[in-house]
């Protein structure tokens, strides 16, 4: 634990407001006299959503109940994302808002910055935002109770950015509090691929797989709390490897088949995958395991072999295309999703055309696309021939037009089909329910509330770009 001295004041910058993912309130705890309140705001990927839930689990035994706003919180935690510049800057503007709230209404409130910005810019955060009491990286949040004790006992700040992923998992509470009927479960963390645009290997550390028994215990505890769907998550889940109960080396395929044996878990998903680590055992599991949903997120980033090489992706477009053909042969109903980056250094119009051609040839059910964002410390940041911002914007628009057209066409193609939907809650309109299809689209239909938490058949009657409408069978 590093102790830091007081810092200079520094004004935050303005950026757009992020989404809020806070914990559910625990009635028993919040009614108890000694209960303190924690507000956790989550930015970025599913890994952070999982980590925020686990932070709430770590804090529950020391009397903290999660709340949905910072208004009366004793502790505010920003669980941050460093993947693109815009995501990282959001933290500083949010800290400015929190400082005003703290000064005006809650002088004894403690503030923590967690996640990947904390890992990458720990000292800088302390310098720029004196309001921050604790800075903790993604591998140290199990130490929150001792950090809180320390900042409460003594004036000053605490910084924790160690890199021991397995130690973290060994120290997290055994009980995992489920929030709803679908849950993320981290099976692997970190990345050794070092794509030249990406900060993850620096912020999350080396690739580490959790032991099978620990994952299965967590999955069982989720199933016991009525969770029906588990998404196995990690920066590169198909690099998962650990010793199975039979003593042999297991990959993701074996792990999925094992989790599928747990009663109550009816749907399994996994994300994110790297095309290089998609082995035959996994492709076979995709084809044979009925609990695995027919939806695969397999990013390629660019369709140009020259850019793939510069990105250090270590595979060609042809490799990706062959892989997709193999996966589709194994599971013909599979829908694909991808990530794309436009404007990587050196990307010419011709390279970009290759990305459009890739999208045309592969065909995606949904996707995520971004303008390349320079990340300090990554090899891409010092590459020559950076692409001007207006060119990136123009390319992103063209790419997204194509991707959204494909997404809309895919959703429309489901009209008339009957899909299984996991009902997660009520919809906006009276009598309406909301759930997710096997392809992850949000699906609205009318039905009684006692179906919440169940998997029901819904015939699709209409489809937009982002969601489906259906009729309960
Ligand atoms: N700029 C733009 N997009 C990025 N991603 C990762 N790093 C960057 C960056 N520097 C995108 C990739 C990755 C997704 C999670 O975020 O597409 O797959
Ligand atoms: Fe980043 Fe590449 Fe690792 Fe994905 S595979 S986390 S993009 S370095």
């Amino acid at each position: 634990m590093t102790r830091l001295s007081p810092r200079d004041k520094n004004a935050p910058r303005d950026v757009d407001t992020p989404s809020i993912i806070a914990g559910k309130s625990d009635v028993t705890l919040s009614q108890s006299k000694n209960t303190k309140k924690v507000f956790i705001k989550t930015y970025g990927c599913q890994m952070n959503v999982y980590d925020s839930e686990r932070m709430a689990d770590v804090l529950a035994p020391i009397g903290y109940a999660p709340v949905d706003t910072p208004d009366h919180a004793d502790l505010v935690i920003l669980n941050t994302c460093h993947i693109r510049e815009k995501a990282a800057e959001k933290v500083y503007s949010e800290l400015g808002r929190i400082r005003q709230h703290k000064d005006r209404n809650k002088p004894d409130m403690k503030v923590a910055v967690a996640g990947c910005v904390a890992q990458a810019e720990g000292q800088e955060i302390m310098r720029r935002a004196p309001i921050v009491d604790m800075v903790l990286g993604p591998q140290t949040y199990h130490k929150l109770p001792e950090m809180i004790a320390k900042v409460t006992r003594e004036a000053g700040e605490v910084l924790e950015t160690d890199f021991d992923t397995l130690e973290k998992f060994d120290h997290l509470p055994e009980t995992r509090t489920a929030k709803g009927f679908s849950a993320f479960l981290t099976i692997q963390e970190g990345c050794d691929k070092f794509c030249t645009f990406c900060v993850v290997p620096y912020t999350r550390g080396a690739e580490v797989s959790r032991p099978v028994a620990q994952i299965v215990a967590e999955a069982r505890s989720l199933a016991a709390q009525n969770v029906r769907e588990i998404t196995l998550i990690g920066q590169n889940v198909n690099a998962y490897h650990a010793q199975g109960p039979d003593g042999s080396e297991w990959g993701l395929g074996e792990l999925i088949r094992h989790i599928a044996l747990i009663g109550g878990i009816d749907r399994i998903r996994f994300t994110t995958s790297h095309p290089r680590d998609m082995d035959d055992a996994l492709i076979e599991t995709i084809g044979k395991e009925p609990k695995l949903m027919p939806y695969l997120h397999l990013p390629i980033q660019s369709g140009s072999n020259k850019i793939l090489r510069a990105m250090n992706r270590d595979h060609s477009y042809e490799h990706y295309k062959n892989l997709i053909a193999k996966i589709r042969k194994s599971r013909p109903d599979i829908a694909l999703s991808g990530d794309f980056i436009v404007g990587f250094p050196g990307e010419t119009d011709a390279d970009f055309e290759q990305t459009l051609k890739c999208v045309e040839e592969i065909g995606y059910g949904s996707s995520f696309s971004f303008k390349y964002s320079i990340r300090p410390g990554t090899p891409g940041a010092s590459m020559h021939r950076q692409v001007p911002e207006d060119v990136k914007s123009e390319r992103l628009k063209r790419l997204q037009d194509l991707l959204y057209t494909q997404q809309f066409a895919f959703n429309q193609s489901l009209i008339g089909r009957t899909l299984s939907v996991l009902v997660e809650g009520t919809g906006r309109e009276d009598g309406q329910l909301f759930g997710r299809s096997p392809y992850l689209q949000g699906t609205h239909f009318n039905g009684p509330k006692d179906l919440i938490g169940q998997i029901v058949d819904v015939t699709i009657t209409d489809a937009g770009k982002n969601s489906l409408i259906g009729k309960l069978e």
Side-chain angles (χ1 to χ4, degrees):
M1 204 175 273
T2 318
R3 306 272 294 119
L4 295 174
S5 53
R7 304 130 297 167
D8 299 334
K9 295 225 179 284
N10 208 321
R13 293 191 224 159
D14 266 359
V15 281
D16 43 334
T17 316
S19 63
I20 294 171
I21 302 171
K24 71 169 184 189
S25 353
D26 181 321
V27 176
T28 333
L29 273 176
S30 57
Q31 283 169 351
S32 133
K33 235 165 109 197
N34 297 328
T35 294
K36 294 174 286 272
K37 299 184 182 72
V38 55
F39 171 67
I40 306 175
K41 190 164 195 165
T42 310
Y43 301 77
C45 67
Q46 296 100 329
M47 303 292 289
N48 271 9
V49 175
Y50 175 87
D51 289 345
S52 292
E53 288 185 23
R54 297 304 269 152
M55 283 183 216
D57 287 341
V58 167
L59 292 170
I62 58 164
Y64 281 89
V67 288
D68 291 335
T69 72
D71 295 350
H72 303 288
D74 302 284
L75 171 64
V76 168
I77 302 176
L78 304 184
N79 193 10
T80 61
C81 171
H82 201 244
I83 200 92
R84 284 169 290 275
E85 187 183 4
K86 213 169 159 190
E89 279 303 321
K90 284 176 183 174
V91 179
Y92 292 101
S93 57
E94 184 60 20
L95 284 171
R97 283 192 283 272
I98 290 169
R99 185 182 61 188
Q100 282 180 2
H101 170 61
K102 177 174 162 141
D103 288 350
R104 277 191 211 132
N105 315 312
K106 197 99 175 80
D108 59 343
M109 188 175 84
K110 298 279 178 242
V111 179
V113 177
C116 292
V117 180
Q119 188 68 42
E121 298 182 9
Q123 304 278 354
E124 171 75 359
I125 294 171
M126 294 286 194
R127 194 187 62 76
R128 270 179 79 174
I131 187 194
V132 175
D133 301 289
M134 290 164 272
V135 171
L136 55 150
Q139 312 308 349
T140 51
Y141 59 80
H142 58 295
K143 295 184 183 168
L144 264 170
E146 57 178 286
M147 295 177 79
I148 293 168
K150 193 143 194 169
V151 293
T152 311
R153 220 173 34 235
E154 307 160 27
E157 311 82 30
V158 190
L159 176 87
E160 273 283 4
T161 47
D162 289 350
F163 252 139
D164 196 337
T165 314
L166 287 178
E167 186 200 301
K168 172 184 75 181
F169 284 115
D170 286 344
H171 286 86
L172 289 177
E174 271 177 27
T175 343
R176 162 89 197 271
T177 313
K179 288 170 61 188
F181 305 98
S182 177
F184 294 129
L185 203 174
T186 296
I187 60 164
Q188 175 278 334
E189 210 170 326
C191 183
D192 295 339
K193 291 281 185 284
F194 288 93
C195 299
T196 51
F197 52 81
C198 185
V199 285
V200 166
Y202 311 94
T203 57
R204 291 262 170 183
E207 212 167 84
V208 170
S209 297
R210 285 179 77 187
V212 172
Q214 210 180 62
I215 294 168
V216 170
E218 197 170 318
R220 286 217 177 96
S221 119
L222 290 167
Q225 296 171 75
N226 299 325
V227 165
R228 309 289 304 271
E229 175 180 274
I230 288 184
T231 305
L232 306 173
I233 58 170
Q235 261 84 38
N236 179 12
V237 275
N238 47 13
Y240 181 84
H241 60 99
Q243 199 181 57
D246 56 359
S248 69
E249 178 86 351
W250 277 16
L252 180 60
E254 287 87 355
L255 182 71
I256 289 170
R257 289 206 292 271
H258 197 63
I259 289 177
L261 300 174
I262 299 174
I265 301 301
D266 296 310
R267 289 175 150 202
I268 301 171
R269 304 178 185 276
F270 63 90
T271 194
T272 289
S273 302
H274 192 293
R276 272 195 52 208
D277 293 326
M278 205 83 201
D279 60 23
D280 287 344
L282 180 57
I283 296 178
E284 197 188 328
T285 303
I286 291 174
K288 287 197 177 145
E289 178 48 62
K291 288 189 180 178
L292 197 57
M293 292 294 98
Y295 174 86
L296 176 67
H297 184 63
L298 192 61
I300 183 167
Q301 315 293 355
S302 167
S304 151
N305 284 336
K306 183 190 97 190
I307 296 298
L308 287 173
R309 258 194 312 278
M311 286 176 165
N312 192 32
R313 294 290 289 177
D314 212 13
H315 67 84
S316 63
Y317 171 54
E318 291 70 28
H319 169 83
Y320 181 82
K321 208 167 134 178
N322 289 338
L323 198 57
I324 299 289
K326 241 166 131 177
I327 295 165
R328 282 189 164 137
K329 194 160 167 233
S330 172
R331 185 88 182 237
D333 64 338
I334 204 145
L336 286 172
S337 128
D339 287 342
F340 299 90
I341 295 177
V342 298
F344 187 77
E347 186 188 73
T348 60
D349 283 342
D351 294 316
F352 174 64
E353 293 299 330
Q354 294 292 309
T355 299
L356 294 178
K357 183 168 157 259
C358 154
V359 174
E360 300 268 15
E361 286 183 352
I362 303 288
Y364 291 89
S366 71
S367 40
F368 305 88
S369 44
F370 315 96
K371 287 193 267 186
Y372 171 64
S373 166
I374 295 178
R375 306 314 293 129
T378 59
S382 51
M383 283 183 186
H384 299 301
R385 296 195 295 141
Q386 296 283 338
V387 175
E389 224 25 59
D390 57 334
V391 176
K392 286 186 202 169
S393 301
E394 192 254 334
R395 287 182 189 165
L396 186 67
K397 184 173 180 325
R398 281 183 64 198
L399 176 62
Q400 290 187 338
D401 283 349
L402 176 60
L403 290 168
Y404 290 152
T405 306
Q406 286 193 347
Q407 186 170 318
F408 182 62
F410 174 63
N411 290 353
Q412 288 270 313
S413 75
L414 299 172
I415 293 175
R417 292 253 315 265
T418 301
L419 303 178
S420 69
V421 172
L422 170 57
V423 189
E424 293 186 2
T426 50
R428 260 190 228 128
E429 286 161 31
D430 243 13
Q432 202 182 46
L433 296 176
F434 170 83
R436 297 246 167 225
S437 79
Y439 303 112
L440 263 186
Q441 298 111 327
T443 306
H444 298 267
F445 57 99
N446 287 331
K449 280 190 186 153
D450 58 4
L451 293 181
I452 294 172
Q454 294 191 35
I455 295 171
V456 297
D457 280 342
V458 173
T459 300
I460 305 307
T461 53
D462 203 358
K465 193 177 77 189
N466 293 315
S467 60
L468 307 175
I469 293 177
K471 189 176 133 297
L472 186 65
E473 283 307 307

